[in-house]
Amino acid sequence: MSEVTEPKNQPPPEQPEVEGQTGPSKSELKKRAKAAEKEKKAAEKAARQQELDAQKSAAEVDYASEFYGTLPLHQSQSRPRQPRVDIASLPSRDGETVLLRARIHNSRAQGSKMVFLNLRQRIESVQALMVVAPEKVSKQMVKWAAGLATESIVLVEGVVKKSPEIIKSATVGTVEVEVSKLFLISGVEARLPFTVEDADRTEAEIEASGDQFNRVLLDTRLNNRVIDLRSQTSQAIFKLQAAIGDLFRQFLQSNGFIEIHSPKLQGAATESGASVFKVSYFKGGAFLAQSPQLAKQMAIAADFERVYEIGPVFRAEDSNTHRHLTEFMGLDLEMTIEEHYHEVMEMLDSLFINIFHGLREKFKKEIDVVNKQFPADEFKWREGPEGTLKLSFKEAVDLLVEDGVAREDLDDINTENEKRLGRIVRAKYETDYYIIDKFPMELRPFYTMPDPNDPTLSNSYDFFMRGEEILSGAQRVHDPKLLEQQMRGKGIDPESMKGYLDGFRLGCSPHGGGGIGLERVLMLFLKLNNIRRASLFPRDPKRLEP
């Protein structure tokens, strides 16, 4: 049998009409109205959210992203030759757009739209300001700048603007920089042991704060020397140290001196075996030079006439004092004598006067920076026609005796009495700088020439600043027989210094000289109170690092 199928696409069966019904019921209409209202509100809410999302998306677009950020590692990839300026030059650049590299000395955010940066180069600093500006400086840029670590190195572009009032927190206080671009060159990855601000604070500021500020002790500074050397005080100190070396060199070159460079490894001690560093030297031993003394004298014997040297000096003395180092920079000179050893003494005196004048006239700003942290009376020397004060050793002793020191205690003038003499001289003669001549022969090294009239005295002199020795010098023995005799008198075998003696056996002009401690001169001129502050990386019996 075949199946019977219903025809396809038939209309639905008609519903029977209900008597009296004309449309949807009231409840149905109410339900439909509620649904429509709900759909309308949902659509409005979706539209509002879409608008908010669009605004938020627009806000998240950082329109200043090209104007800030961390630069790639500097590997000298390019050289666009963009001119860069120093902070010190900014007062003369009002209105100019400048590019400069600096450290962030400190920073301070004000809300989310402004940040102040104190930028530092050596001893100079300036305030920089970054403010949110449409299409130029974004909130993201300000937030990033405010988060940069103190001591970070940055590249800054901005406009120099006159400041309405002096900015006391910066050395360049008459202008500020409105920053438009800021890039990080080198960040800080380690925790700072102290801030450069802490290192620059004066004792008076610390005490006035009720000790709220950190007091950075000398050992802490020396253990973290790189940070300490960034301080304005340290920067000024070592600019002045370089100036002393330059003034020393310029004066001597203008007076016919030749610079020499002597070896620091020697086969014999120049002073005495007790204060010399011994080092291994292949299968034997050697000594670190206590001074260029022998080389200077041999140069005179070689007819150099006038020589000087700036170089390291090593002293193996276990002296843990405020003025001693085991390695320091020596400023040495030697010259021939025509008639009298005072020719040398006067040359040295003129040298010091020239250095003092040069520092005062050319480096007043640096001296003022140091004096802010280390207040001191201005260094004084006699500038009138009477010239530098010169005392004999006997006259110096007499001054101390008059002041109450027992004469029997003054066979030598020790450190305590040196300082006492300095105070006496300052009060009586109004000078911090003076010379003592004619020291007892027993106090001087073997190569010192004896006084022709009194063999217990010598043709030797020391120079003093603020009551402390800064130079020791003398006429040298140029006669080989007398030299041998005095060597034996000091317990030195002449054969151990044959190379030195041979120069005199071949004939040598009368000569004299002196040796100056660079760090000591700097310490005393500025009254730093400790020589370690005047040494870049000091070496003493307890310090070989950093």
Side-chain angles (χ1 to χ4, degrees):
M1 292 178 64
S2 61
E3 291 185 2
V4 177
T5 59
E6 293 183 3
K8 295 180 179 180
N9 299 322
Q10 293 293 321
E14 293 184 6
Q15 299 293 325
E17 289 186 9
V18 177
E19 188 177 352
Q21 181 174 328
T22 59
S25 67
K26 287 183 179 181
S27 63
E28 180 67 24
L29 288 172
K30 194 181 280 188
K31 190 184 282 185
R32 289 182 184 179
K34 277 186 177 181
E37 182 67 22
K38 189 174 181 181
E39 285 178 12
K40 181 183 176 184
K41 286 182 178 179
E44 288 175 352
K45 184 177 180 182
R48 284 198 302 271
Q49 186 62 46
Q50 188 174 2
E51 186 179 351
L52 289 171
D53 289 345
Q55 290 175 356
K56 185 178 179 182
S57 177
E60 288 176 353
V61 173
D62 188 356
Y63 50 80
S65 59
E66 294 181 6
F67 305 148
Y68 72 98
T70 302
L71 292 175
L73 176 66
H74 190 305
Q75 295 178 288
S76 300
Q77 294 95 325
S78 63
R79 193 177 184 186
R81 299 183 184 276
Q82 294 174 291
R84 301 188 184 189
V85 302
D86 292 330
I87 286 175
S89 72
L90 295 181
S92 64
R93 297 178 181 275
D94 183 32
E96 292 183 27
T97 297
V98 297
L99 183 68
L100 62 92
R101 173 184 49 79
R103 283 192 187 272
I104 295 179
H105 189 61
N106 58 48
S107 63
R108 175 171 52 91
Q110 285 198 342
S112 61
K113 295 185 177 181
M114 182 186 300
V115 63
F116 291 95
L117 303 171
N118 192 314
L119 303 176
R120 189 185 77 242
Q121 290 175 344
R122 296 185 179 179
I123 68 171
E124 303 291 1
S125 60
V126 70
Q127 178 174 282
L129 174 65
M130 183 186 288
V131 183
V132 169
E135 305 305 318
K136 294 180 180 179
V137 177
S138 63
K139 281 188 176 182
Q140 294 95 322
M141 182 173 175
V142 169
K143 183 179 179 181
W144 180 83
L148 290 173
T150 299
E151 295 303 299
S152 295
I153 301 171
V154 291
L155 185 64
V156 181
E157 184 177 297
V159 178
V160 181
K161 293 286 182 71
K162 287 285 185 186
S163 176
E165 58 184 37
I166 298 295
I167 300 167
K168 295 180 180 179
S169 61
T171 62
V172 176
T174 57
V175 297
E176 62 183 359
V177 178
E178 294 185 358
V179 179
S180 55
K181 294 181 182 179
L182 182 69
F183 298 99
L184 179 65
I185 296 173
S186 180
V188 175
E189 297 182 5
R191 182 177 177 274
L192 294 176
F194 52 85
T195 67
V196 173
E197 274 189 300
D198 288 338
D200 267 326
R201 283 200 178 94
T202 67
E203 190 63 26
E205 288 172 335
I206 295 170
E207 290 179 0
S209 75
D211 286 340
Q212 289 182 2
F213 292 141
N214 292 326
R215 179 181 279 104
V216 188
L217 301 178
L218 182 58
D219 270 352
T220 303
R221 292 173 182 272
L222 298 180
N223 290 338
N224 303 277
R225 193 60 161 152
V226 169
I227 292 294
D228 186 49
L229 290 173
R230 292 178 187 172
S231 71
Q232 290 182 321
T233 304
S234 291
Q235 291 282 320
I237 286 171
F238 289 98
K239 190 168 182 181
L240 290 163
Q241 187 189 80
I244 292 171
D246 286 343
L247 291 164
F248 176 83
R249 180 177 277 113
Q250 291 164 13
F251 177 85
L252 294 179
Q253 286 179 339
S254 69
N255 281 277
F257 284 75
I258 298 171
E259 184 171 9
I260 61 171
H261 305 282
S262 64
K264 303 309 167 198
L265 284 171
Q266 297 184 335
T270 55
E271 307 287 344
S272 66
S275 61
V276 67
F277 285 110
K278 296 180 181 179
V279 297
S280 60
Y281 194 72
F282 301 103
K283 294 183 179 180
F287 303 93
L288 293 180
Q290 296 159 293
S291 77
Q293 185 58 46
L294 307 187
K296 288 190 303 177
Q297 289 187 260
M298 293 165 77
I300 297 298
D303 292 344
F304 278 47
E305 295 287 322
R306 294 183 170 192
V307 298
Y308 73 92
E309 177 169 353
I310 301 177
V313 174
F314 302 91
R315 298 288 170 88
E317 297 170 356
D318 192 9
S319 298
N320 296 283
T321 74
H322 76 284
R323 65 174 188 170
H324 285 96
L325 295 170
T326 53
E327 179 183 353
F328 62 89
M329 291 305 296
L331 308 179
D332 282 85
L333 67 83
E334 206 78 15
M335 59 181 276
T336 54
I337 295 169
E338 298 299 337
E339 296 178 337
H340 198 280
Y341 78 96
H342 279 180
E343 296 165 22
V344 186
M345 193 171 79
E346 289 160 7
M347 178 69 74
L348 287 163
D349 182 32
S350 297
L351 166 65
F352 274 109
I353 297 299
N354 181 73
I355 290 173
F356 299 153
H357 276 292
L359 293 177
R360 187 176 66 186
E361 292 167 8
K362 299 177 183 177
F363 298 93
K364 184 182 184 303
K365 183 173 185 177
E366 286 75 15
I367 292 169
D368 289 344
V369 167
V370 177
N371 283 346
K372 183 181 176 185
Q373 189 163 29
F374 297 99
D377 295 332
E378 185 178 6
F379 183 80
K380 292 182 71 174
W381 65 94
R382 298 212 298 197
E383 301 182 69
E386 73 276 13
T388 298
L389 175 66
K390 299 177 181 70
L391 303 170
S392 68
F393 184 85
K394 181 181 181 303
E395 288 170 335
V397 167
D398 289 344
L399 284 174
L400 287 165
V401 171
E402 288 172 16
D403 199 54
V405 181
R407 191 175 293 274
E408 55 267 25
D409 295 336
L410 293 170
D411 291 339
D412 189 6
I413 301 176
N414 60 24
T415 302
E416 181 184 346
N417 286 326
E418 274 186 4
K419 290 184 176 181
R420 187 168 186 164
L421 180 62
R423 292 192 293 270
I424 294 168
V425 167
R426 171 80 186 217
K428 186 171 183 177
Y429 299 101
E430 296 185 350
T431 182
D432 291 310
Y433 166 67
Y434 54 95
I435 300 168
I436 297 179
D437 192 16
K438 292 294 180 186
F439 276 77
M441 190 66 197
E442 64 180 0
L443 301 179
R444 311 305 275 197
F446 69 86
Y447 46 75
T448 306
M449 182 67 77
D451 180 271
N453 302 314
D454 184 350
T456 65
L457 299 179
S458 62
N459 291 351
S460 66
Y461 39 80
D462 281 359
F463 286 42
F464 292 81
M465 291 172 64
R466 299 190 196 267
E468 297 193 43
E469 176 210 323
I470 43 111
L471 174 145
S472 185
Q475 179 180 356
R476 321 301 188 183
V477 176
H478 61 282
D479 178 79
K481 291 180 181 177
L482 179 57
L483 194 56
E484 284 186 49
Q485 177 185 325
Q486 295 199 170
M487 289 173 80
R488 290 192 179 95
K490 294 285 186 179
I492 299 171
D493 180 6
E495 283 302 309
S496 69
M497 302 181 73
K498 185 176 181 299
Y500 170 67
L501 275 167
D502 283 347
F504 300 102
R505 290 174 179 139
L506 298 171
C508 181
S509 298
H511 61 282
I516 305 163
L518 171 60
E519 293 88 348
R520 196 175 288 188
V521 171
L522 182 61
M523 173 188 74
L524 293 168
F525 186 84
L526 297 171
K527 203 173 182 182
L528 299 177
N529 303 319
N530 195 305
I531 198 166
R532 290 156 187 81
R533 294 191 177 100
S535 175
L536 194 67
F537 297 103
R539 295 291 178 259
D540 60 33
K542 296 179 179 177
R543 182 172 292 279
L544 274 172
E545 293 287 342

